[in-house]
């Protein structure tokens, strides 16, 4: 499927080259040319506006799938798709969104034990954690303005409970099963 033209841009890969354009790391480069899809990891200006999922697409720049969503105000954006997100599903980013797949809400409103992804480290800072295919973060508890979460690496850490997170695991959970064959 061709990506939504308005949300793509070309990008020059500076593989193995420094700020002078000189080769500083050998054996990098080549590969297929990629079009950059502009994926929204911040969501700040789309609070309380419901969106409908139009497509679920492949993105060469990340391991999970992305979805094209159209908001009620007519704007289209790419988001990182959760596992088993279907076309036509309604999602919303809100303080009091229901805890259902794809919705985005503050961690303090998410029940303990829930799987989340696309987690912010600072409130309104944009999603930084749990973005790779099949990954999820588990909410372990909330206390005194902090939420304890368990990362895919097994690390347990605290983030401010005002940080937003999306519900569910990241799509394309079979990504790790792909056999790349030989090194050559």
């Amino acid at each position: 499927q061709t990506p939504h033209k308005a949300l793509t841009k070309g990008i020059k890969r500076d593989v193995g080259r420094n700020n002078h354009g000189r080769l500083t790391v050998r054996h990098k480069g080549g590969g297929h040319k990629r079009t950059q899809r502009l994926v929204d990891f911040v969501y700040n200006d789309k609070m309380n506006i419901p969106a409908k999922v139009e497509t679920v697409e492949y993105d060469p720049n990340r391991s999970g799938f992305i979805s094209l969503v159209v908001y009620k105000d007519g704007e289209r954006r790419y988001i990182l798709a959760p596992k088993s997100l279907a076309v036509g599903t309604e999602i919303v980013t809100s303080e009091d969104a229901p805890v259902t797949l794809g919705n985005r809400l503050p961690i303090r409103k998410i029940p303990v034990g829930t799987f989340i992804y696309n987690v912010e480290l600072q409130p309104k800072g944009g999603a930084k954690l749990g973005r790779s295919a099949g990954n999820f973060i588990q909410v372990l508890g909330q206390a005194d303005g902090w939420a304890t979460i368990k990362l895919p690496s097994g690390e347990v850490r605290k983030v401010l409970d005002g940080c937003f997170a999306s519900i569910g695991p990241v799509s394309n959970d079979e990504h790790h099963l792909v056999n790349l064959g030989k090194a050559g």
Side-chain angles (χ1 to χ4, degrees):
Q1 172 149 19
T2 14
H4 185 61
K5 193 94 188 275
L7 293 174
T8 60
K9 65 174 196 180
I11 196 160
K12 188 172 187 320
R13 295 176 68 221
D14 49 354
V15 276
R17 283 155 177 79
N18 66 6
N19 58 336
H20 299 294
R22 298 206 180 100
L23 201 61
T24 54
V25 181
R26 292 160 41 218
H27 310 302
K28 284 192 167 224
H32 202 287
K33 189 172 179 180
R34 300 171 180 181
T35 304
Q36 199 75 30
R37 279 94 170 143
L38 304 174
V39 179
D40 181 17
F41 288 111
V42 183
Y43 298 85
N44 283 346
D45 51 343
K46 288 294 171 190
M47 286 290 199
N48 306 311
I49 304 174
K52 197 173 213 153
V53 176
E54 279 194 325
T55 63
V56 177
E57 302 176 17
Y58 170 76
D59 184 357
N61 305 298
R62 67 199 74 254
S63 53
F65 296 129
I66 56 174
S67 280
L68 185 64
V69 295
V70 57
Y71 287 90
K72 278 275 191 285
D73 60 10
E75 192 181 347
R76 283 180 168 77
R77 286 199 181 169
Y78 275 126
I79 62 161
L80 187 60
K83 183 181 173 183
S84 64
L85 182 73
V87 172
T89 309
E90 283 242 326
I91 61 167
V92 68
T93 300
S94 165
E95 281 276 345
D96 36 74
V99 183
T100 53
L101 187 80
N103 282 356
R104 195 162 171 79
L105 51 160
I107 301 179
R108 67 170 163 267
K109 301 278 180 82
I110 300 174
V112 171
T114 310
F115 288 167
I116 56 178
Y117 74 102
N118 240 3
V119 181
E120 294 180 323
L121 278 173
Q122 300 291 324
K124 300 198 184 306
K128 301 279 187 277
L129 305 175
R131 293 175 12 173
S132 194
N135 277 354
F136 55 84
I137 291 170
Q138 195 169 13
V139 181
L140 296 182
Q142 291 120 345
D144 312 323
W146 292 85
T148 310
I149 58 175
K150 185 178 180 192
L151 303 180
S153 63
E155 179 190 345
V156 174
R157 68 166 293 164
K158 285 181 171 179
V159 291
L160 289 160
D161 65 6
C163 293
F164 274 71
S166 304
I167 305 293
V170 185
S171 53
N172 197 16
D173 57 331
E174 294 184 350
H175 172 77
H176 72 285
L177 299 174
V178 175
N179 177 12
L180 295 176
K182 300 184 218 166

